[in-house]
Amino acid sequence: CLVLLLLPGQVDAIATAVQIRPFMSLVYGLGGFIALTILSVLISGSVMGAILLPLANIAALLTWLLGGVSICVWLGKRLRSQTPDARFQHFWLGWLLLFVISLIPIAGGLLGSFITLFGFGAALLSRYGIQTGDSLSQSLDRLEHHTE
């Protein structure tokens, strides 16, 4: 909830990025997760790793938090679109949905992680909410809007 109070514009921009570019949000989420894993493995045994690894993990945790809050807001908007400006209601409704999904044994945890991966990727895609959905690059998402 503190993220909603401090960064309402960024949360809305990230939720919009999930709405407009869901495929690229997933690609950025997977790419960011894989890049963080490779970075962690490569620098873990060095002196630079002792300094950079905690910073990279804190940055990833904050990105995941911002993306998770944004995906909860997005889910809440999808479920209750009658009240477009009720950010806190949307957040709690989306959080409740993710919580109920996570109660399903094995599949719930995987599905909840998969859903929050969209938020993580959207946070990276929108550059932490600095770019709005209208200013996102159109060049990489040809598959998303391809119709047959």
Side-chain angles (χ1 to χ4, degrees):
C1 281
L2 188 61
V3 174
L4 282 174
L5 287 174
L6 295 176
L7 304 168
Q10 281 80 5
V11 169
D12 285 341
I14 294 169
T16 303
V18 172
Q19 178 74 27
I20 293 174
R21 309 250 191 294
F23 179 73
M24 288 308 297
S25 295
L26 179 62
V27 169
Y28 271 63
L30 287 172
F33 183 71
I34 291 169
L36 181 66
T37 304
I38 291 172
L39 175 75
S40 297
V41 168
L42 290 177
I43 68 171
S44 63
S46 67
V47 174
M48 287 293 289
I51 298 168
L52 292 178
L53 202 55
L55 295 176
N57 287 333
I58 289 171
L61 179 69
L62 292 176
T63 305
W64 209 281
L65 176 68
L66 188 61
V69 168
S70 299
I71 204 74
C72 286
V73 169
W74 178 77
L75 282 171
K77 281 183 182 178
R78 299 283 296 187
L79 292 173
R80 190 175 172 110
S81 59
Q82 296 92 350
T83 55
D85 293 332
R87 226 179 263 120
F88 284 100
Q89 288 179 356
H90 293 154
F91 169 75
W92 287 112
L93 188 60
W95 181 85
L96 184 65
L97 177 66
L98 281 178
F99 177 73
V100 169
I101 287 173
S102 71
L103 292 176
I104 302 169
I106 301 171
L110 291 173
L111 187 59
S113 298
F114 183 71
I115 290 171
T116 55
L117 194 62
F118 278 96
F120 180 72
L124 296 175
L125 178 64
S126 67
R127 293 185 176 87
Y128 299 96
I130 294 173
Q131 284 189 340
T132 60
D134 301 332
S135 64
L136 291 174
S137 174
Q138 297 278 342
S139 62
L140 296 175
D141 59 348
R142 289 184 180 88
L143 293 174
E144 211 168 17
H145 301 292
H146 180 52
T147 57
E148 295 186 35

